[in-house]
Amino acid sequence: MNTNTATERVKHEVLAEDPHLRRGPRGFPLLPGGYGRSTYFTGEPSPYAVRGVGFRVWDDRGRELIDANNNFTSLIHGNAHPEITEAAIKALSAGASWGIPNLWEWELAELLLKRVPSLDQVRFTNSGTEAVMSALRIARAATGRDKIVVTRGGYHGTSDVALVPGGPSYTKGVPQGVIDDVTAVPLNDIEFLTQAVTAAPEAYAAIILDLLPNRAGLISISEDFVRAARELATKHGIVLIIDETISLRLGYGGLSGEYGVEPDLLTTGKLIGGGFPVGAVAGRGELMAEVDPTRAGNLPHGGTFSGNPVSMAAGAAAVRLYTDGQVKRLNRLGDAVRTAVSDRVADSGWEIRGRGSLLRAVPAGAEKVSEELQHRLWWATYERGLLGSPANLLSLSTEMDENVGADIADRLADAVNSVAAGDDRA
């Protein structure tokens, strides 16, 4: 079937009935609230994607949008990149998944370890959330300890431990025992971190860091803080986990590579799957031995689709395409967009935070932005043909150039100034 014809058919069917209103036999919406992910929610019924190509996406309301959401930073090469698509189709044509190892796992593992040469082995999962869960379990098994240090506002997925740094609004349903095992320290507060660890160093299995936490307003963890965490971990036999599920895009060896700090375990996902479900734990050999099935007393680790050939093949293509030159070019483009927007929204009392190819508009000096204000800005950018995340995080893709960057800056600056002035409520 012609792709455009198929797209028009799907679009017509979606438009014929608001998907949020589709209900099952007992009257409930088929999806809770009408959403397949809570992170889609923008305060009102959301548009539905119909098609995406390069840096553009089209929705069921007939809008053509610049895609700066990129599935929450995953699509580093934009939508439907031909080389990634070809790799995925080739793998799928040979079999979507099997119950024995596949050769694509080796290829992606080799590509990742070339970027983080201080680490020795990789184990794949289905998501960044699972990667963090696995890394924490490895750390606990290796140390025989339970407690974890996190930074407030850090985001490490949706497992029980990972929800704790989000604060009370995120810990509903999390057992108190889990909460008690997690020490959340203020961002970049080295003194607090040092006091927390040295008060009971024998209790801590791991320190886990999100180097550019969007939940905390997209403020970078400082190099001094990361180095202090590394020194404390080394001194007290604690496992340092650096979560680069998002920040891997910011350097050829991730943001930790830019800092020159070597983690004991590194977790990642998103861009390394080429748009397919993926996560990974890379680590030092003596730690990764905990999940070695040939070793007595190993930790069982499974996942029906972990390391599946389609994700591995697409991911390998994506990683190969994201060369050191592309990393640097995309970071320069992000810096240019951030500067351009900052100059135009400063008088409205807003600032543009971030690093490299990641940026976010927030009221100047804000430590926390209300969901209501985030949603207002989301709709303001959407109305101007720019798609970001519901928390207003924008991520650039390699399909974008200086002209697209300038276009993004224009649309974002106009949306921010409109929200600041209250014009979006009119």
Side-chain angles (χ1 to χ4, degrees):
M1 179 181 290
N2 179 275
T3 303
N4 289 334
T5 302
T7 298
E8 288 304 314
R9 177 179 59 77
V10 171
K11 178 180 173 182
H12 174 76
E13 291 177 355
V14 173
L15 286 171
E17 180 182 2
D18 185 342
H20 295 83
L21 302 179
R22 294 182 183 177
R23 298 179 181 275
R26 295 178 60 192
F28 291 99
L30 295 174
L31 306 174
Y35 291 89
R37 293 189 228 172
S38 297
T39 48
Y40 285 144
F41 184 60
T42 55
E44 301 176 27
S46 174
Y48 278 65
V50 172
R51 181 169 65 98
V53 177
F55 63 84
R56 293 185 177 90
V57 66
W58 288 262
D59 69 16
D60 62 325
R61 302 182 183 185
R63 284 188 178 273
E64 176 183 320
L65 304 158
I66 295 176
D67 187 2
N69 178 308
N70 284 305
N71 193 19
F72 298 86
T73 80
S74 297
L75 303 178
I76 194 69
H77 302 295
N79 298 279
H81 189 285
E83 291 185 45
I84 297 173
T85 301
E86 181 182 6
I89 290 174
K90 183 178 179 180
L92 181 61
S93 298
S97 58
W98 301 295
I100 58 175
N102 67 83
L103 296 175
W104 283 273
E105 288 181 271
W106 293 92
E107 182 180 11
L108 183 54
E110 186 175 36
L111 288 168
L112 286 177
L113 291 175
K114 284 182 178 178
R115 293 177 179 243
V116 285
S118 67
L119 304 179
D120 303 306
Q121 293 181 316
V122 178
R123 180 58 69 87
F124 291 107
T125 65
N126 294 293
S127 66
T129 288
E130 289 185 22
V132 169
M133 292 169 65
S134 298
L136 291 175
R137 189 170 179 224
I138 289 169
R140 283 170 162 161
T143 62
R145 305 167 181 174
D146 294 331
K147 293 178 74 67
I148 307 296
V149 177
V150 298
T151 56
R152 293 175 189 167
Y155 182 75
H156 304 286
T158 54
S159 66
D160 283 359
V161 169
L163 291 170
V164 175
S169 61
Y170 289 88
T171 54
K172 183 178 180 181
V174 176
Q176 187 61 45
V178 173
I179 296 172
D180 292 342
D181 274 342
V182 178
T183 298
V185 305
L187 198 66
N188 293 326
D189 191 331
I190 295 174
E191 182 179 359
F192 195 109
L193 171 67
T194 303
Q195 289 177 351
V197 171
T198 56
E202 72 287 346
Y204 289 104
I207 299 171
I208 182 167
L209 303 179
D210 174 2
L211 299 185
L212 190 66
N214 185 44
R215 184 188 278 163
L218 212 64
I219 298 174
S220 296
I221 290 185
S222 70
E223 290 189 38
D224 288 344
F225 186 89
V226 179
R227 294 186 188 283
R230 175 68 278 173
E231 290 172 5
L232 285 165
T234 300
K235 180 178 180 180
H236 298 293
I238 299 168
V239 177
L240 178 63
I241 304 170
I242 295 185
D243 184 1
E244 301 237 39
T245 302
I246 292 176
S247 62
L248 190 71
R249 63 165 43 225
L250 297 176
Y252 185 77
L255 190 49
S256 59
E258 296 297 294
Y259 285 178
V261 176
E262 297 179 355
D264 299 311
L265 296 173
L266 181 146
T267 55
T268 191
K270 293 192 184 290
L271 78 87
I272 69 163
F276 290 87
V278 75
V281 183
R284 294 191 288 108
E286 60 269 31
L287 290 171
M288 298 303 289
E290 294 290 344
V291 289
D292 177 356
T294 69
R295 176 178 173 271
N298 67 86
L299 297 176
H301 172 260
T304 302
F305 300 104
S306 294
N308 75 82
V310 180
S311 292
M312 298 295 98
V319 172
R320 280 196 303 269
L321 286 165
Y322 201 43
T323 62
D324 185 50
Q326 283 283 34
V327 173
K328 291 174 179 174
R329 183 190 72 82
L330 200 58
N331 282 339
R332 288 195 301 269
L333 182 60
D335 292 341
V337 173
R338 195 162 38 253
T339 298
V341 182
S342 294
D343 291 343
R344 295 170 57 181
V345 302
D347 289 344
S348 294
W350 284 63
E351 62 182 337
I352 309 300
R353 295 179 185 166
R355 180 175 179 139
S357 57
L358 299 170
L359 57 146
R360 181 181 176 184
V362 297
E367 295 184 4
K368 187 175 181 179
V369 183
S370 71
E371 187 175 70
E372 185 267 340
L373 185 57
Q374 291 176 34
H375 290 167
R376 284 175 56 199
L377 183 56
W378 189 91
W379 284 104
T381 55
Y382 171 78
E383 293 296 332
R384 289 160 177 79
L386 178 61
L387 182 65
S389 83
N392 312 133
L393 175 65
L394 302 186
S395 62
L396 307 186
S397 71
T398 59
E399 291 292 286
M400 298 173 178
D401 59 18
E402 288 76 9
N403 291 329
V404 178
D407 198 356
I408 290 173
D410 287 343
R411 300 181 194 217
L412 179 58
D414 192 53
V416 168
N417 288 328
S418 174
V419 169
D423 295 339
D424 62 306
R425 296 179 183 275

